[in-house]
Amino acid sequence: QVQLVESGGGSVQPGGSLRLSCQASGLDFRANVMSWFRQAPGKERETVGSTAAWTSSTVIYLDDVKGRFTISRDNARNTVYLQMVNLKPEDTAVYFCAARHYTSPDYDYWGQGTQVIVSS
């Protein structure tokens, strides 16, 4: 059974930092694209960024977070991270990780999400 378990969310003041973790089990981690998404209340889900299967190269898709968010993965720990610095109130959202086998066009597995609240 595949499981993705996020952790590290919480409440932080503007300018603060958080590191989200997503630990995967039950899948061939290195063969999966691992991505972070977020969804704010009343808004559509956004793709924050991804880390590739095999090469572990990373990309941030969301212009608003470029330079502030970094994705990384540790294949030995089956874990993908989202490091967030200089957080802004507009970063408030539920953050999800998801896994997609490199041969699949769709994300097959999703975590339960972790809440991030940025507020003074």
Side-chain angles (χ1 to χ4, degrees):
Q1 181 181 1
V2 176
Q3 284 191 311
L4 303 179
V5 180
E6 299 105 332
S7 61
S11 294
V12 64
Q13 292 186 340
S17 301
L18 286 173
R19 188 176 80 156
L20 306 184
S21 300
C22 171
Q23 185 162 31
S25 60
L27 51 70
D28 183 353
F29 187 74
R30 290 184 299 173
N32 276 264
V33 176
M34 301 298 298
S35 297
W36 286 98
F37 298 81
R38 72 181 185 184
Q39 187 163 21
K43 295 188 177 181
E44 292 187 354
R45 188 175 64 203
E46 301 176 302
T47 307
V48 177
S50 298
T51 172
W54 307 117
T55 66
S56 299
S57 63
T58 63
V59 59
I60 296 291
Y61 294 113
L62 206 53
D63 287 340
D64 290 349
V65 308
K66 286 181 179 177
R68 300 189 296 119
F69 289 13
T70 304
I71 292 177
S72 61
R73 66 191 289 164
D74 185 339
N75 289 332
R77 290 181 167 83
N78 284 7
T79 302
V80 60
Y81 303 97
L82 181 65
Q83 178 70 52
M84 307 183 292
V85 301
N86 192 21
L87 283 159
K88 303 177 180 180
E90 51 264 41
D91 295 320
T92 294
V94 178
Y95 286 72
F96 300 88
C97 69
R100 173 175 68 80
H101 192 266
Y102 77 99
T103 62
S104 172
D106 301 317
Y107 285 91
D108 303 304
Y109 306 105
W110 292 81
Q112 81 286 355
T114 185
Q115 177 76 58
V116 171
I117 298 173
V118 185
S119 174
S120 56

mmCIF file of all heavy atoms in Angstrom, residues 44-95:
data_model
loop_
_atom_site.group_PDB
_atom_site.id
_atom_site.type_symbol
_atom_site.label_atom_id
_atom_site.label_comp_id
_atom_site.label_asym_id
_atom_site.label_seq_id
_atom_site.Cartn_x
_atom_site.Cartn_y
_atom_site.Cartn_z
ATOM 1 N N GLU A 44 -7.971 27.599 -6.697
ATOM 2 C CA GLU A 44 -7.636 26.338 -7.334
ATOM 3 C C GLU A 44 -6.266 25.844 -6.849
ATOM 4 O O GLU A 44 -5.432 26.621 -6.403
ATOM 5 C CB GLU A 44 -7.618 26.495 -8.849
ATOM 6 C CG GLU A 44 -8.983 26.759 -9.447
ATOM 7 C CD GLU A 44 -8.968 26.746 -10.967
ATOM 8 O OE1 GLU A 44 -7.867 26.642 -11.538
ATOM 9 O OE2 GLU A 44 -10.046 26.821 -11.563
ATOM 10 N N ARG A 45 -6.081 24.567 -6.975
ATOM 11 C CA ARG A 45 -4.800 23.975 -6.602
ATOM 12 C C ARG A 45 -3.710 24.457 -7.553
ATOM 13 O O ARG A 45 -3.928 24.556 -8.761
ATOM 14 C CB ARG A 45 -4.905 22.455 -6.655
ATOM 15 C CG ARG A 45 -3.698 21.730 -6.110
ATOM 16 C CD ARG A 45 -3.961 20.245 -6.091
ATOM 17 N NE ARG A 45 -4.140 19.715 -7.435
ATOM 18 C CZ ARG A 45 -4.791 18.587 -7.700
ATOM 19 N NH1 ARG A 45 -5.331 17.896 -6.717
ATOM 20 N NH2 ARG A 45 -4.900 18.163 -8.940
ATOM 21 N N GLU A 46 -2.542 24.731 -6.975
ATOM 22 C CA GLU A 46 -1.399 25.182 -7.766
ATOM 23 C C GLU A 46 -0.262 24.170 -7.643
ATOM 24 O O GLU A 46 -0.069 23.573 -6.576
ATOM 25 C CB GLU A 46 -0.884 26.530 -7.243
ATOM 26 C CG GLU A 46 -1.888 27.652 -7.265
ATOM 27 C CD GLU A 46 -1.317 28.912 -6.648
ATOM 28 O OE1 GLU A 46 -0.895 28.883 -5.480
ATOM 29 O OE2 GLU A 46 -1.290 29.949 -7.351
ATOM 30 N N THR A 47 0.482 24.041 -8.705
ATOM 31 C CA THR A 47 1.679 23.207 -8.659
ATOM 32 C C THR A 47 2.844 24.074 -8.217
ATOM 33 O O THR A 47 3.199 25.036 -8.900
ATOM 34 C CB THR A 47 1.991 22.601 -10.026
ATOM 35 O OG1 THR A 47 0.828 21.921 -10.507
ATOM 36 C CG2 THR A 47 3.148 21.620 -9.923
ATOM 37 N N VAL A 48 3.427 23.737 -7.093
ATOM 38 C CA VAL A 48 4.551 24.521 -6.591
ATOM 39 C C VAL A 48 5.828 24.150 -7.336
ATOM 40 O O VAL A 48 6.549 25.000 -7.851
ATOM 41 C CB VAL A 48 4.745 24.305 -5.082
ATOM 42 C CG1 VAL A 48 5.963 25.082 -4.582
ATOM 43 C CG2 VAL A 48 3.491 24.731 -4.322
ATOM 44 N N GLY A 49 6.105 22.854 -7.410
ATOM 45 C CA GLY A 49 7.309 22.412 -8.082
ATOM 46 C C GLY A 49 7.472 20.916 -7.987
ATOM 47 O O GLY A 49 6.680 20.235 -7.336
ATOM 48 N N SER A 50 8.512 20.427 -8.637
ATOM 49 C CA SER A 50 8.718 18.986 -8.750
ATOM 50 C C SER A 50 10.185 18.623 -8.657
ATOM 51 O O SER A 50 11.063 19.459 -8.916
ATOM 52 C CB SER A 50 8.192 18.484 -10.096
ATOM 53 O OG SER A 50 6.823 18.699 -10.237
ATOM 54 N N THR A 51 10.400 17.369 -8.301
ATOM 55 C CA THR A 51 11.735 16.797 -8.400
ATOM 56 C C THR A 51 11.638 15.514 -9.210
ATOM 57 O O THR A 51 10.758 14.690 -8.981
ATOM 58 C CB THR A 51 12.349 16.561 -7.008
ATOM 59 O OG1 THR A 51 13.571 15.829 -7.138
ATOM 60 C CG2 THR A 51 11.420 15.783 -6.100
ATOM 61 N N ALA A 52 12.524 15.380 -10.171
ATOM 62 C CA ALA A 52 12.414 14.321 -11.168
ATOM 63 C C ALA A 52 12.792 12.960 -10.610
ATOM 64 O O ALA A 52 13.577 12.836 -9.670
ATOM 65 C CB ALA A 52 13.316 14.648 -12.353
ATOM 66 N N ALA A 53 12.243 11.944 -11.248
ATOM 67 C CA ALA A 53 12.704 10.584 -10.987
ATOM 68 C C ALA A 53 14.132 10.433 -11.504
ATOM 69 O O ALA A 53 14.555 11.148 -12.403
ATOM 70 C CB ALA A 53 11.790 9.587 -11.680
ATOM 71 N N TRP A 54 14.855 9.490 -10.906
ATOM 72 C CA TRP A 54 16.204 9.120 -11.323
ATOM 73 C C TRP A 54 17.244 10.227 -11.178
ATOM 74 O O TRP A 54 18.263 10.053 -10.522
ATOM 75 C CB TRP A 54 16.217 8.592 -12.761
ATOM 76 C CG TRP A 54 15.239 7.485 -12.976
ATOM 77 C CD1 TRP A 54 14.163 7.500 -13.813
ATOM 78 C CD2 TRP A 54 15.197 6.207 -12.322
ATOM 79 N NE1 TRP A 54 13.467 6.328 -13.726
ATOM 80 C CE2 TRP A 54 14.081 5.498 -12.821
ATOM 81 C CE3 TRP A 54 16.002 5.592 -11.358
ATOM 82 C CZ2 TRP A 54 13.752 4.218 -12.391
ATOM 83 C CZ3 TRP A 54 15.667 4.320 -10.923
ATOM 84 C CH2 TRP A 54 14.555 3.651 -11.451
ATOM 85 N N THR A 55 17.030 11.387 -11.786
ATOM 86 C CA THR A 55 18.061 12.429 -11.763
ATOM 87 C C THR A 55 17.953 13.329 -10.532
ATOM 88 O O THR A 55 18.914 13.996 -10.168
ATOM 89 C CB THR A 55 17.980 13.324 -12.999
ATOM 90 O OG1 THR A 55 16.749 14.066 -12.968
ATOM 91 C CG2 THR A 55 18.050 12.498 -14.272
ATOM 92 N N SER A 56 16.746 13.375 -9.936
ATOM 93 C CA SER A 56 16.479 14.247 -8.786
ATOM 94 C C SER A 56 16.605 15.726 -9.115
ATOM 95 O O SER A 56 16.704 16.553 -8.202
ATOM 96 C CB SER A 56 17.381 13.900 -7.592
ATOM 97 O OG SER A 56 17.159 12.575 -7.164
ATOM 98 N N SER A 57 16.617 16.073 -10.375
ATOM 99 C CA SER A 57 16.631 17.494 -10.710
ATOM 100 C C SER A 57 15.326 18.130 -10.251
ATOM 101 O O SER A 57 14.302 17.461 -10.136
ATOM 102 C CB SER A 57 16.815 17.684 -12.216
ATOM 103 O OG SER A 57 15.730 17.130 -12.920
ATOM 104 N N THR A 58 15.382 19.412 -9.960
ATOM 105 C CA THR A 58 14.209 20.073 -9.391
ATOM 106 C C THR A 58 13.810 21.278 -10.229
ATOM 107 O O THR A 58 14.642 21.879 -10.922
ATOM 108 C CB THR A 58 14.471 20.521 -7.952
ATOM 109 O OG1 THR A 58 15.512 21.493 -7.940
ATOM 110 C CG2 THR A 58 14.864 19.341 -7.080
ATOM 111 N N VAL A 59 12.551 21.623 -10.128
ATOM 112 C CA VAL A 59 12.050 22.814 -10.793
ATOM 113 C C VAL A 59 10.945 23.410 -9.949
ATOM 114 O O VAL A 59 10.130 22.679 -9.381
ATOM 115 C CB VAL A 59 11.556 22.508 -12.223
ATOM 116 C CG1 VAL A 59 10.440 21.479 -12.207
ATOM 117 C CG2 VAL A 59 11.112 23.775 -12.931
ATOM 118 N N ILE A 60 10.953 24.721 -9.836
ATOM 119 C CA ILE A 60 9.864 25.452 -9.185
ATOM 120 C C ILE A 60 9.030 26.081 -10.288
ATOM 121 O O ILE A 60 9.552 26.826 -11.123
ATOM 122 C CB ILE A 60 10.395 26.528 -8.228
ATOM 123 C CG1 ILE A 60 11.183 25.901 -7.073
ATOM 124 C CG2 ILE A 60 9.249 27.386 -7.700
ATOM 125 C CD1 ILE A 60 10.343 25.121 -6.089
ATOM 126 N N TYR A 61 7.745 25.782 -10.291
ATOM 127 C CA TYR A 61 6.872 26.278 -11.357
ATOM 128 C C TYR A 61 6.209 27.605 -11.006
ATOM 129 O O TYR A 61 5.894 28.401 -11.880
ATOM 130 C CB TYR A 61 5.773 25.260 -11.648
ATOM 131 C CG TYR A 61 6.279 23.967 -12.223
ATOM 132 C CD1 TYR A 61 6.197 22.786 -11.500
ATOM 133 C CD2 TYR A 61 6.831 23.918 -13.499
ATOM 134 C CE1 TYR A 61 6.655 21.595 -12.018
ATOM 135 C CE2 TYR A 61 7.283 22.728 -14.031
ATOM 136 C CZ TYR A 61 7.197 21.571 -13.283
ATOM 137 O OH TYR A 61 7.655 20.391 -13.796
ATOM 138 N N LEU A 62 5.992 27.803 -9.721
ATOM 139 C CA LEU A 62 5.191 28.934 -9.276
ATOM 140 C C LEU A 62 6.080 30.174 -9.177
ATOM 141 O O LEU A 62 6.977 30.251 -8.338
ATOM 142 C CB LEU A 62 4.590 28.590 -7.917
ATOM 143 C CG LEU A 62 3.304 29.258 -7.488
ATOM 144 C CD1 LEU A 62 2.221 29.086 -8.531
ATOM 145 C CD2 LEU A 62 2.852 28.671 -6.161
ATOM 146 N N ASP A 63 5.801 31.161 -10.013
ATOM 147 C CA ASP A 63 6.647 32.363 -10.049
ATOM 148 C C ASP A 63 6.677 33.068 -8.699
ATOM 149 O O ASP A 63 7.710 33.599 -8.300
ATOM 150 C CB ASP A 63 6.147 33.320 -11.126
ATOM 151 C CG ASP A 63 6.464 32.843 -12.529
ATOM 152 O OD1 ASP A 63 7.368 31.997 -12.677
ATOM 153 O OD2 ASP A 63 5.799 33.309 -13.471
ATOM 154 N N ASP A 64 5.561 33.052 -7.995
ATOM 155 C CA ASP A 64 5.469 33.795 -6.735
ATOM 156 C C ASP A 64 6.412 33.271 -5.658
ATOM 157 O O ASP A 64 6.690 33.973 -4.685
ATOM 158 C CB ASP A 64 4.038 33.741 -6.192
ATOM 159 C CG ASP A 64 3.079 34.555 -7.037
ATOM 160 O OD1 ASP A 64 3.560 35.322 -7.901
ATOM 161 O OD2 ASP A 64 1.859 34.424 -6.838
ATOM 162 N N VAL A 65 6.877 32.040 -5.810
ATOM 163 C CA VAL A 65 7.719 31.470 -4.753
ATOM 164 C C VAL A 65 9.154 31.255 -5.182
ATOM 165 O O VAL A 65 9.989 30.819 -4.389
ATOM 166 C CB VAL A 65 7.123 30.137 -4.234
ATOM 167 C CG1 VAL A 65 5.659 30.319 -3.835
ATOM 168 C CG2 VAL A 65 7.267 29.025 -5.253
ATOM 169 N N LYS A 66 9.438 31.553 -6.449
ATOM 170 C CA LYS A 66 10.815 31.378 -6.926
ATOM 171 C C LYS A 66 11.762 32.260 -6.117
ATOM 172 O O LYS A 66 11.477 33.421 -5.868
ATOM 173 C CB LYS A 66 10.905 31.715 -8.412
ATOM 174 C CG LYS A 66 10.288 30.654 -9.301
ATOM 175 C CD LYS A 66 10.405 31.002 -10.774
ATOM 176 C CE LYS A 66 9.792 29.886 -11.629
ATOM 177 N NZ LYS A 66 9.834 30.220 -13.081
ATOM 178 N N GLY A 67 12.863 31.667 -5.715
ATOM 179 C CA GLY A 67 13.815 32.375 -4.871
ATOM 180 C C GLY A 67 13.528 32.235 -3.391
ATOM 181 O O GLY A 67 14.378 32.586 -2.561
ATOM 182 N N ARG A 68 12.348 31.743 -3.054
ATOM 183 C CA ARG A 68 11.990 31.576 -1.639
ATOM 184 C C ARG A 68 11.769 30.104 -1.269
ATOM 185 O O ARG A 68 12.016 29.712 -0.134
ATOM 186 C CB ARG A 68 10.719 32.360 -1.316
ATOM 187 C CG ARG A 68 10.830 33.845 -1.547
ATOM 188 C CD ARG A 68 9.618 34.599 -1.008
ATOM 189 N NE ARG A 68 8.381 34.255 -1.695
ATOM 190 C CZ ARG A 68 7.312 33.699 -1.104
ATOM 191 N NH1 ARG A 68 7.339 33.416 0.181
ATOM 192 N NH2 ARG A 68 6.222 33.450 -1.808
ATOM 193 N N PHE A 69 11.311 29.295 -2.223
ATOM 194 C CA PHE A 69 11.024 27.889 -1.965
ATOM 195 C C PHE A 69 12.042 27.022 -2.697
ATOM 196 O O PHE A 69 12.419 27.317 -3.829
ATOM 197 C CB PHE A 69 9.630 27.505 -2.453
ATOM 198 C CG PHE A 69 8.482 28.061 -1.651
ATOM 199 C CD1 PHE A 69 8.655 29.071 -0.712
ATOM 200 C CD2 PHE A 69 7.200 27.563 -1.848
ATOM 201 C CE1 PHE A 69 7.601 29.573 0.016
ATOM 202 C CE2 PHE A 69 6.126 28.048 -1.128
ATOM 203 C CZ PHE A 69 6.325 29.070 -0.206
ATOM 204 N N THR A 70 12.432 25.950 -2.065
ATOM 205 C CA THR A 70 13.367 24.996 -2.656
ATOM 206 C C THR A 70 12.851 23.584 -2.423
ATOM 207 O O THR A 70 12.437 23.243 -1.312
ATOM 208 C CB THR A 70 14.760 25.122 -2.024
ATOM 209 O OG1 THR A 70 15.225 26.472 -2.141
ATOM 210 C CG2 THR A 70 15.752 24.194 -2.719
ATOM 211 N N ILE A 71 12.885 22.787 -3.480
ATOM 212 C CA ILE A 71 12.497 21.380 -3.372
ATOM 213 C C ILE A 71 13.759 20.530 -3.386
ATOM 214 O O ILE A 71 14.698 20.810 -4.144
ATOM 215 C CB ILE A 71 11.576 20.974 -4.537
ATOM 216 C CG1 ILE A 71 10.228 21.676 -4.412
ATOM 217 C CG2 ILE A 71 11.368 19.467 -4.560
ATOM 218 C CD1 ILE A 71 9.283 21.387 -5.565
ATOM 219 N N SER A 72 13.752 19.488 -2.583
ATOM 220 C CA SER A 72 14.850 18.520 -2.616
ATOM 221 C C SER A 72 14.298 17.149 -2.254
ATOM 222 O O SER A 72 13.172 17.036 -1.750
ATOM 223 C CB SER A 72 15.965 18.923 -1.641
ATOM 224 O OG SER A 72 15.486 18.957 -0.312
ATOM 225 N N ARG A 73 15.069 16.132 -2.528
ATOM 226 C CA ARG A 73 14.641 14.777 -2.182
ATOM 227 C C ARG A 73 15.829 13.993 -1.656
ATOM 228 O O ARG A 73 16.974 14.231 -2.050
ATOM 229 C CB ARG A 73 13.992 14.064 -3.365
ATOM 230 C CG ARG A 73 14.913 13.776 -4.532
ATOM 231 C CD ARG A 73 14.122 13.327 -5.759
ATOM 232 N NE ARG A 73 13.554 11.994 -5.610
ATOM 233 C CZ ARG A 73 12.590 11.506 -6.392
ATOM 234 N NH1 ARG A 73 12.075 12.272 -7.349
ATOM 235 N NH2 ARG A 73 12.140 10.284 -6.214
ATOM 236 N N ASP A 74 15.523 13.073 -0.757
ATOM 237 C CA ASP A 74 16.511 12.161 -0.210
ATOM 238 C C ASP A 74 16.043 10.755 -0.550
ATOM 239 O O ASP A 74 15.143 10.222 0.115
ATOM 240 C CB ASP A 74 16.638 12.370 1.305
ATOM 241 C CG ASP A 74 17.729 11.528 1.932
ATOM 242 O OD1 ASP A 74 18.119 10.526 1.331
ATOM 243 O OD2 ASP A 74 18.173 11.884 3.036
ATOM 244 N N ASN A 75 16.638 10.177 -1.557
ATOM 245 C CA ASN A 75 16.192 8.857 -2.000
ATOM 246 C C ASN A 75 16.465 7.777 -0.955
ATOM 247 O O ASN A 75 15.755 6.772 -0.900
ATOM 248 C CB ASN A 75 16.849 8.489 -3.322
ATOM 249 C CG ASN A 75 16.316 9.318 -4.479
ATOM 250 O OD1 ASN A 75 15.167 9.783 -4.451
ATOM 251 N ND2 ASN A 75 17.133 9.507 -5.502
ATOM 252 N N ALA A 76 17.465 7.972 -0.144
ATOM 253 C CA ALA A 76 17.770 6.982 0.896
ATOM 254 C C ALA A 76 16.689 6.964 1.974
ATOM 255 O O ALA A 76 16.478 5.940 2.626
ATOM 256 C CB ALA A 76 19.117 7.279 1.521
ATOM 257 N N ARG A 77 16.015 8.091 2.144
ATOM 258 C CA ARG A 77 14.954 8.196 3.162
ATOM 259 C C ARG A 77 13.555 8.207 2.553
ATOM 260 O O ARG A 77 12.577 8.378 3.265
ATOM 261 C CB ARG A 77 15.148 9.450 4.004
ATOM 262 C CG ARG A 77 16.352 9.396 4.934
ATOM 263 C CD ARG A 77 16.477 10.670 5.761
ATOM 264 N NE ARG A 77 17.413 10.517 6.859
ATOM 265 C CZ ARG A 77 18.719 10.641 6.745
ATOM 266 N NH1 ARG A 77 19.245 10.917 5.572
ATOM 267 N NH2 ARG A 77 19.501 10.490 7.796
ATOM 268 N N ASN A 78 13.478 8.060 1.222
ATOM 269 C CA ASN A 78 12.167 8.096 0.541
ATOM 270 C C ASN A 78 11.386 9.348 0.919
ATOM 271 O O ASN A 78 10.172 9.302 1.163
ATOM 272 C CB ASN A 78 11.338 6.851 0.889
ATOM 273 C CG ASN A 78 11.801 5.616 0.160
ATOM 274 O OD1 ASN A 78 12.824 5.638 -0.507
ATOM 275 N ND2 ASN A 78 11.067 4.530 0.305
ATOM 276 N N THR A 79 12.080 10.454 0.966
ATOM 277 C CA THR A 79 11.475 11.688 1.451
ATOM 278 C C THR A 79 11.768 12.843 0.492
ATOM 279 O O THR A 79 12.876 12.965 -0.024
ATOM 280 C CB THR A 79 12.008 12.035 2.851
ATOM 281 O OG1 THR A 79 11.718 10.949 3.742
ATOM 282 C CG2 THR A 79 11.359 13.295 3.392
ATOM 283 N N VAL A 80 10.751 13.654 0.274
ATOM 284 C CA VAL A 80 10.899 14.886 -0.494
ATOM 285 C C VAL A 80 10.597 16.047 0.442
ATOM 286 O O VAL A 80 9.742 15.940 1.329
ATOM 287 C CB VAL A 80 9.990 14.889 -1.734
ATOM 288 C CG1 VAL A 80 8.523 14.760 -1.369
ATOM 289 C CG2 VAL A 80 10.231 16.121 -2.589
ATOM 290 N N TYR A 81 11.321 17.119 0.254
ATOM 291 C CA TYR A 81 11.222 18.275 1.138
ATOM 292 C C TYR A 81 10.807 19.516 0.353
ATOM 293 O O TYR A 81 11.071 19.638 -0.844
ATOM 294 C CB TYR A 81 12.567 18.552 1.817
ATOM 295 C CG TYR A 81 13.118 17.405 2.600
ATOM 296 C CD1 TYR A 81 14.072 16.553 2.041
ATOM 297 C CD2 TYR A 81 12.688 17.155 3.904
ATOM 298 C CE1 TYR A 81 14.594 15.495 2.761
ATOM 299 C CE2 TYR A 81 13.199 16.097 4.629
ATOM 300 C CZ TYR A 81 14.155 15.268 4.054
ATOM 301 O OH TYR A 81 14.656 14.211 4.774
ATOM 302 N N LEU A 82 10.170 20.432 1.068
ATOM 303 C CA LEU A 82 9.893 21.756 0.533
ATOM 304 C C LEU A 82 10.368 22.761 1.583
ATOM 305 O O LEU A 82 9.736 22.908 2.628
ATOM 306 C CB LEU A 82 8.411 21.949 0.234
ATOM 307 C CG LEU A 82 8.033 23.309 -0.350
ATOM 308 C CD1 LEU A 82 8.655 23.510 -1.725
ATOM 309 C CD2 LEU A 82 6.512 23.451 -0.456
ATOM 310 N N GLN A 83 11.486 23.386 1.299
ATOM 311 C CA GLN A 83 12.021 24.407 2.191
ATOM 312 C C GLN A 83 11.428 25.747 1.783
ATOM 313 O O GLN A 83 11.541 26.140 0.623
ATOM 314 C CB GLN A 83 13.547 24.459 2.115
ATOM 315 C CG GLN A 83 14.174 25.536 2.970
ATOM 316 C CD GLN A 83 14.061 25.245 4.456
ATOM 317 O OE1 GLN A 83 14.423 24.169 4.927
ATOM 318 N NE2 GLN A 83 13.557 26.219 5.216
ATOM 319 N N MET A 84 10.820 26.429 2.729
ATOM 320 C CA MET A 84 10.148 27.698 2.452
ATOM 321 C C MET A 84 10.733 28.772 3.370
ATOM 322 O O MET A 84 10.718 28.602 4.597
ATOM 323 C CB MET A 84 8.646 27.566 2.685
ATOM 324 C CG MET A 84 8.015 26.408 1.928
ATOM 325 S SD MET A 84 6.219 26.308 2.132
ATOM 326 C CE MET A 84 6.109 25.869 3.853
ATOM 327 N N VAL A 85 11.232 29.828 2.774
ATOM 328 C CA VAL A 85 11.770 30.938 3.558
ATOM 329 C C VAL A 85 11.057 32.214 3.159
ATOM 330 O O VAL A 85 10.391 32.273 2.117
ATOM 331 C CB VAL A 85 13.302 31.082 3.370
ATOM 332 C CG1 VAL A 85 14.016 29.811 3.782
ATOM 333 C CG2 VAL A 85 13.639 31.477 1.937
ATOM 334 N N ASN A 86 11.217 33.237 3.996
ATOM 335 C CA ASN A 86 10.577 34.529 3.744
ATOM 336 C C ASN A 86 9.097 34.341 3.386
ATOM 337 O O ASN A 86 8.606 34.882 2.392
ATOM 338 C CB ASN A 86 11.309 35.280 2.635
ATOM 339 C CG ASN A 86 10.878 36.719 2.515
ATOM 340 O OD1 ASN A 86 10.328 37.304 3.457
ATOM 341 N ND2 ASN A 86 11.088 37.306 1.349
ATOM 342 N N LEU A 87 8.414 33.614 4.204
ATOM 343 C CA LEU A 87 7.009 33.312 3.943
ATOM 344 C C LEU A 87 6.146 34.559 3.995
ATOM 345 O O LEU A 87 6.404 35.488 4.787
ATOM 346 C CB LEU A 87 6.509 32.264 4.933
ATOM 347 C CG LEU A 87 6.954 30.837 4.605
ATOM 348 C CD1 LEU A 87 6.872 29.948 5.838
ATOM 349 C CD2 LEU A 87 6.116 30.270 3.476
ATOM 350 N N LYS A 88 5.123 34.559 3.155
ATOM 351 C CA LYS A 88 4.200 35.680 3.043
ATOM 352 C C LYS A 88 2.787 35.199 3.361
ATOM 353 O O LYS A 88 2.491 34.011 3.202
ATOM 354 C CB LYS A 88 4.255 36.252 1.626
ATOM 355 C CG LYS A 88 5.639 36.693 1.201
ATOM 356 C CD LYS A 88 5.625 37.189 -0.243
ATOM 357 C CE LYS A 88 7.011 37.637 -0.689
ATOM 358 N NZ LYS A 88 7.009 38.113 -2.089
ATOM 359 N N PRO A 89 1.921 36.099 3.763
ATOM 360 C CA PRO A 89 0.536 35.680 4.048
ATOM 361 C C PRO A 89 -0.122 34.962 2.875
ATOM 362 O O PRO A 89 -0.919 34.036 3.093
ATOM 363 C CB PRO A 89 -0.158 37.011 4.362
ATOM 364 C CG PRO A 89 0.922 37.871 4.920
ATOM 365 C CD PRO A 89 2.150 37.500 4.135
ATOM 366 N N GLU A 90 0.235 35.329 1.668
ATOM 367 C CA GLU A 90 -0.370 34.676 0.504
ATOM 368 C C GLU A 90 0.135 33.249 0.289
ATOM 369 O O GLU A 90 -0.359 32.546 -0.600
ATOM 370 C CB GLU A 90 -0.150 35.509 -0.763
ATOM 371 C CG GLU A 90 1.280 35.925 -1.013
ATOM 372 C CD GLU A 90 1.576 37.323 -0.487
ATOM 373 O OE1 GLU A 90 1.103 37.667 0.637
ATOM 374 O OE2 GLU A 90 2.293 38.069 -1.188
ATOM 375 N N ASP A 91 1.106 32.827 1.060
ATOM 376 C CA ASP A 91 1.549 31.428 1.017
ATOM 377 C C ASP A 91 0.660 30.522 1.875
ATOM 378 O O ASP A 91 0.841 29.296 1.864
ATOM 379 C CB ASP A 91 2.996 31.312 1.514
ATOM 380 C CG ASP A 91 3.985 32.022 0.619
ATOM 381 O OD1 ASP A 91 3.828 31.953 -0.613
ATOM 382 O OD2 ASP A 91 4.913 32.664 1.160
ATOM 383 N N THR A 92 -0.266 31.121 2.597
ATOM 384 C CA THR A 92 -1.179 30.333 3.421
ATOM 385 C C THR A 92 -1.989 29.396 2.545
ATOM 386 O O THR A 92 -2.646 29.826 1.590
ATOM 387 C CB THR A 92 -2.121 31.261 4.208
ATOM 388 O OG1 THR A 92 -1.342 32.018 5.142
ATOM 389 C CG2 THR A 92 -3.177 30.461 4.950
ATOM 390 N N ALA A 93 -1.917 28.106 2.847
ATOM 391 C CA ALA A 93 -2.584 27.092 2.030
ATOM 392 C C ALA A 93 -2.382 25.741 2.687
ATOM 393 O O ALA A 93 -1.583 25.588 3.618
ATOM 394 C CB ALA A 93 -2.005 27.062 0.617
ATOM 395 N N VAL A 94 -3.093 24.763 2.156
ATOM 396 C CA VAL A 94 -2.783 23.370 2.464
ATOM 397 C C VAL A 94 -1.812 22.889 1.394
ATOM 398 O O VAL A 94 -2.059 23.067 0.195
ATOM 399 C CB VAL A 94 -4.043 22.491 2.482
ATOM 400 C CG1 VAL A 94 -3.668 21.038 2.761
ATOM 401 C CG2 VAL A 94 -5.026 22.993 3.532
ATOM 402 N N TYR A 95 -0.722 22.332 1.839
ATOM 403 C CA TYR A 95 0.324 21.851 0.941
ATOM 404 C C TYR A 95 0.258 20.332 0.857
ATOM 405 O O TYR A 95 0.191 19.643 1.882
ATOM 406 C CB TYR A 95 1.691 22.301 1.434
ATOM 407 C CG TYR A 95 1.950 23.773 1.198
ATOM 408 C CD1 TYR A 95 1.287 24.742 1.953
ATOM 409 C CD2 TYR A 95 2.819 24.203 0.201
ATOM 410 C CE1 TYR A 95 1.486 26.093 1.721
ATOM 411 C CE2 TYR A 95 3.035 25.557 -0.029
ATOM 412 C CZ TYR A 95 2.369 26.492 0.733
ATOM 413 O OH TYR A 95 2.574 27.822 0.490
#
